[in-house]
Amino acid sequence: MGRAVLRPFSRKRPRPLIALNIHPTEKRWFFVAVLLVAVMIGLVVYTAVAMSVHPPSNVEAIDSTRLHLTPEFAEENLGVKREKDGAIVARVVMARYMVHPQEIRLPADTPIVLRAASADVLHGLHVAGTNIATQVVPGYVSEVHTRINFDSVAKIGIQNGDGSVTVPLFCNEYCGLGHQSMWGRVIVTRK
Ligand code: CUA
């Protein structure tokens, strides 16, 4: 009769069902991938906080073929207006190949709202030296809430005799053969 060998508490660890052998190169690339994601998230946060670059958030439909018949984007209502609640609102229509109106005056370091609509195809609206840069998609109103920093526009703009600065406003989405002539002026005045 043989002796029963009882080994209830084996010191040996159970073997894993799948042996995970990660190659050192794969491990290294895993960290590179994680680092890339972290850098990209960091860039998004940095541009949002330090450079005021935000994704568009306004969804407002409009019939692009009838802009001139709407009370808001009719020709006589375009340009800069102070609303009843005190807000400064600039309205612009982008159409091949013009920006209407050709010139707008905006105060610096003041909250402003820019509302733009396209009368035909996709345009882009960019004001040099500011964070105003938005697509103007036909069928929708693009709205930008911002403050223009006087020093940043003064750095690149044309100084006027009265202390204001002129910067260009231009289309930055290729919209056709006359795209390069689609631009206007923004006169930024000191607060
Ligand atoms: Cu409008 Cu390019």
Side-chain angles (χ1 to χ4, degrees):
M1 208 176 125
R3 259 201 299 163
V5 182
L6 279 174
R7 275 192 293 176
F9 304 108
S10 165
R11 286 175 150 251
K12 255 186 161 181
R13 275 194 173 173
R15 275 182 66 176
L17 290 176
I18 306 161
L20 258 183
N21 282 319
I22 302 174
H23 194 277
T25 313
E26 202 175 338
K27 247 187 209 169
R28 243 173 275 145
W29 280 104
F30 168 77
F31 287 113
V32 170
V34 170
L35 186 77
L36 274 177
V37 172
V39 166
M40 280 171 194
I41 292 174
L43 278 175
V44 169
V45 173
Y46 173 75
T47 52
V49 174
M51 297 161 74
S52 300
V53 175
H54 306 295
S57 54
N58 185 55
V59 179
E60 193 182 327
I62 195 163
D63 183 352
S64 280
T65 59
R66 299 168 68 84
L67 281 185
H68 57 295
L69 299 175
T70 62
E72 183 174 8
F73 289 100
E75 201 174 344
E76 61 275 14
N77 201 46
L78 299 180
V80 183
K81 286 213 169 121
R82 190 179 281 270
E83 304 288 283
K84 282 182 200 114
D85 59 357
I88 294 170
V89 181
R91 291 187 178 83
V92 171
V93 166
M94 311 278 288
R96 289 195 291 187
Y97 296 101
M98 283 269 276
V99 178
H100 308 271
Q102 274 284 288
E103 192 176 285
I104 54 173
R105 271 181 103 84
L106 287 170
D109 305 303
T110 307
I112 54 164
V113 180
L114 191 120
R115 286 171 61 77
S118 162
D120 37 49
V121 298
L122 173 72
H123 299 283
L125 193 163
H126 177 60
V127 180
T130 72
N131 74 333
I132 300 171
T134 180
Q135 282 193 320
V136 185
V137 185
Y140 295 91
V141 177
S142 302
E143 191 173 275
V144 177
H145 292 249
T146 191
R147 281 164 175 270
I148 297 175
N149 181 290
F150 191 83
D151 297 333
S152 348
V153 288
K155 241 182 253 170
I156 57 149
I158 297 163
Q159 311 280 338
N160 302 317
D162 61 354
S164 64
V165 168
T166 302
V167 282
L169 170 165
F170 48 85
C171 177
N172 65 357
E173 289 280 349
Y174 183 71
C175 52
L177 292 175
H179 161 73
Q180 74 286 348
S181 54
M182 247 189 107
W183 64 280
R185 287 176 297 273
V186 177
I187 299 169
V188 181
T189 52
R190 274 185 201 276
K191 198 182 176 182

